[in-house]
Amino acid sequence: MTYRSETSSIPAIVLADGQIMPKLGFGVYKVAGDEAVSTIVTALELGYRSIDTAAFYGNEDAVGRAVRESGLPRDEVFVTTKLWNADHGYDAALRAFDASLQRLGLDRIDLFLIHWPVPSADLYVDTFRALQALKRQGRVVSIGVSNFDREHLERVIDETGETPAINQIELHPYFAQSELRAFHAAHGIVTEAWSPLGRGAEFNDSVIIALADKLNRTPAQVILRWHMQLGNVAIPKSMTPARMAENLAVFDFELTGREMTQIAGIDKGARQGGDPAEFAMDAPTA
Ligand code: NAD
């Protein structure tokens, strides 16, 4: 199955709520300034049909402009944004959503995520209830979370009765998250990988290089293919058109079971970003 588009053919995944999402999207963290709109338009011209932004990235306006400037029908582009840590709590989350929608200049968002659980504020369950309300109103199609550990997911599921459609987490070969992925699979939660390329950390790994040489692919393509075969959604970021195209060209080759196992063997449990149990930048203090 591919994403609904006349002009692109990216394989798609079905979320538990029935919405169809491209398996590969374009991440726009630090895609900023004057170049932001043209970079995102280029991504859409190259065939990307999913854009991952966040209130925190400061570029929701550029994403909205790029979607409009691309000339693509709105329903051919899947737009994700995220609620920032300062906006946890039911009412604050509703207000933050309105502000995101306004900056994007869109009338609905395809996927809205809670960016971090911020356990110290202990407001993520109420925040998720606000996302449920937005979904009921039809202003967001799918709702999910990001950087949630198993215990945070369990509380949301137990206390709201709804399972997030997606958990977007740090995931690359050196941080393969096999336990959390298994929990997701058991609960019908799609795993979305952020920093899917480990920000380049694995490009010099001998196992990745050997596979890239053998398959006549780049290290980035081998890693993204690994994500695809694990069933992950991945959202690599690049500002370079040739690399943006390279990262999309991962649907015409396959890794064998043995090659997948070889990549599994380089997992070091090495996180690059924040630890969800502690990360609380800009958290509400009251
Ligand atoms: P990434 O793993 O996508 O790596 C990006 C870097 O790798 C780029 O800066 C580029 O220099 C390099 N690169 C990309 N393609 C390449 C190629 N083909 N060859 C050589 N180098 C290449 O890391 P990221 O940007 O941190 O993550 C991607 C997206 O994930 C972000 O843009 C954002 O949308 C999302 N994200 C989410 C969170 C979260 O907390 N939810 C955190 C970080 C990132």
Side-chain angles (χ1 to χ4, degrees):
M1 182 188 39
T2 55
Y3 191 61
R4 48 170 188 263
S5 176
E6 300 275 313
T7 48
S8 182
S9 56
I10 299 193
I13 199 161
V14 186
L15 305 180
D17 58 25
Q19 192 179 196
I20 295 170
M21 177 178 189
K23 287 194 69 172
L24 202 58
F26 187 62
V28 298
Y29 182 40
K30 295 192 174 162
V31 176
D34 296 343
E35 282 173 296
V37 175
S38 61
T39 300
I40 300 163
V41 169
T42 299
L44 293 167
E45 284 169 359
L46 288 169
Y48 288 91
R49 290 293 178 270
S50 164
I51 309 291
D52 181 81
T53 183
F56 178 66
Y57 301 168
N59 57 15
E60 287 171 311
D61 54 339
V63 170
R65 269 186 59 195
V67 170
R68 287 187 292 279
E69 280 184 22
S70 74
L72 289 166
R74 170 65 186 91
D75 68 359
E76 289 195 16
V77 186
F78 189 104
V79 177
T80 301
T81 193
K82 314 187 192 80
L83 175 117
W84 186 236
N85 298 347
D87 300 314
H88 274 230
Y90 190 89
D91 292 334
L94 295 179
R95 283 194 300 271
F97 178 82
D98 284 344
S100 278
L101 208 56
Q102 197 164 21
R103 285 188 295 267
L104 283 157
L106 302 174
D107 60 1
R108 64 151 220 282
I109 290 172
D110 300 290
L111 175 65
F112 194 41
L113 305 177
I114 303 176
H115 208 143
W116 292 87
V118 197
S120 58
D122 197 19
L123 289 168
Y124 60 85
V125 174
D126 263 354
T127 306
F128 193 77
R129 290 190 214 283
L131 270 57
Q132 289 182 291
L134 293 165
K135 185 176 148 190
R136 278 195 301 272
Q137 293 162 11
R139 303 175 75 207
V140 51
V141 184
S142 297
I143 56 176
V145 295
S146 176
N147 297 302
F148 275 43
D149 286 334
R150 176 184 175 143
E151 62 185 284
H152 312 130
L153 290 168
E154 281 174 339
R155 268 196 64 195
V156 167
I157 296 166
D158 289 352
E159 295 181 35
T160 72
E162 180 160 352
T163 303
I166 280 202
N167 188 16
Q168 183 186 114
I169 54 173
E170 180 178 348
L171 204 178
H172 41 89
Y174 284 170
F175 193 59
Q177 298 257 34
S178 48
E179 277 177 32
L180 196 48
R181 278 193 286 113
F183 181 83
H184 291 168
H187 288 80
I189 300 170
V190 166
T191 301
E192 182 171 23
W194 66 252
S195 290
L197 299 171
R199 297 181 178 153
E202 289 97 334
F203 290 171
N204 293 319
D205 185 277
S206 57
V207 169
I208 299 293
I209 289 177
L211 287 171
D213 287 349
K214 183 166 96 177
L215 297 163
N216 208 14
R217 298 283 166 165
T218 66
Q221 289 175 321
V222 169
I223 293 169
L224 290 169
R225 183 66 213 176
W226 171 80
H227 281 289
M228 297 299 97
Q229 289 184 217
L230 286 182
N232 301 337
V233 170
I235 43 169
K237 176 236 166 182
S238 170
M239 302 278 287
T240 313
R243 287 177 174 173
M244 288 154 66
E246 174 188 322
N247 293 347
L248 265 188
V250 297
F251 298 107
D252 58 349
F253 74 108
E254 217 167 310
L255 299 167
T256 63
R258 187 161 174 277
E259 290 163 347
M260 290 293 288
T261 307
Q262 279 180 282
I263 300 177
I266 66 172
D267 183 14
K268 302 176 178 176
R271 195 192 280 291
Q272 293 191 11
D275 182 341
E278 289 158 12
F279 189 84
M281 187 175 152
D282 299 336
T285 46

